[in-house]
Amino acid sequence: MDFLKDSADDSDITVNFLKTIKTIMMEITEQDKAWMREAIRLADESVKNGGGPFGAVVVKDGELIAGSANSVTINNDPTAHAEVNAIRSACRKLNTFDLTGCVIYTSCEPCPMCLGAIYWAHISKIYYGNTRKDARDIDFADDFIYEELERPLTKRSVPILPLLRDEAIHTFRLWKEKTDKTAY
């Protein structure tokens, strides 16, 4: 469990968290490993085809729902990370935006964008292969994003400025008053 050591070195992970991870690790099945190997295979295939070194699969009730690789450079889309691509595909296949009960296996610890997408999709569990440190070691460093999120808006490297809230708030009022909305 070298990744636990790496993670503990990189942050202030508590002993209780590490115990929880150890318990979860003991519950990993051969099928979980097979799904992770599929995510890794997709990542390998992506590298061979000119994409980024990341793959992900979404599984529900033991069935593969979707699998995808990173296609940022192939599609000229900075949001086309493996996890986001797999989530989009799974949502289309299941005809829902709510992936409750699904598990995602991703070849690398999710970046902040992918983690946000996973939470918005209500995915129930995440398994990952490589760590953030492993990604940083091959020049995929997303630590700066985590750091940016901790900064006040006025201290971020990309200016983020409020504009026309008094007009924009109207849309939120419409949403709040809407009786037939689909909450998410």
Side-chain angles (χ1 to χ4, degrees), residues 72-88:
V72 168
T73 58
I74 293 169
N75 295 336
N76 294 316
D77 179 353
T79 68
H81 291 201
E83 297 93 333
V84 172
N85 288 343
I87 288 167
R88 288 174 177 156

Side-chain angles (χ1 to χ4, degrees), residues 163-175:
L163 182 63
L164 297 179
R165 179 180 176 269
D166 57 326
E167 294 179 33
I169 198 70
H170 172 75
T171 308
F172 280 11
R173 287 188 188 116
L174 287 175
W175 175 257

Side-chain angles (χ1 to χ4, degrees), residues 38-142:
E38 177 61 10
I40 294 167
R41 185 193 70 73
L42 289 168
D44 289 347
E45 187 177 294
S46 180
V47 171
K48 293 173 187 169
N49 293 328
F54 305 96
V57 297
V58 175
V59 175
K60 185 170 187 175
D61 299 326
E63 177 188 344
L64 177 66
I65 303 301
S68 192
N70 178 292
S71 61
V72 168
T73 58
I74 293 169
N75 295 336
N76 294 316
D77 179 353
T79 68
H81 291 201
E83 297 93 333
V84 172
N85 288 343
I87 288 167
R88 288 174 177 156
S89 182
C91 288
R92 279 191 302 273
K93 182 174 181 181
L94 296 176
N95 195 32
T96 182
F97 55 82
D98 186 345
L99 299 180
T100 298
C102 290
V103 177
I104 192 164
Y105 298 82
T106 177
S107 65
C108 186
E109 187 176 351
C111 75
M113 177 185 69
C114 293
L115 189 59
I118 290 166
Y119 275 91
W120 277 110
H122 305 285
I123 289 177
S124 301
K125 190 182 286 186
I126 306 164
Y127 289 99
Y128 66 92
N130 294 309
T131 66
R132 284 169 42 191
K133 181 185 180 308
D134 297 329
R136 184 174 54 239
D137 290 345
I138 62 165
D139 299 324
F140 284 94
D142 52 20

Side-chain angles (χ1 to χ4, degrees), residues 109-112 115 132 142-150:
E109 187 176 351
C111 75
L115 189 59
R132 284 169 42 191
D142 52 20
D143 289 338
F144 77 96
I145 300 171
Y146 288 101
E147 292 166 6
E148 283 285 299
L149 291 172
E150 295 295 320

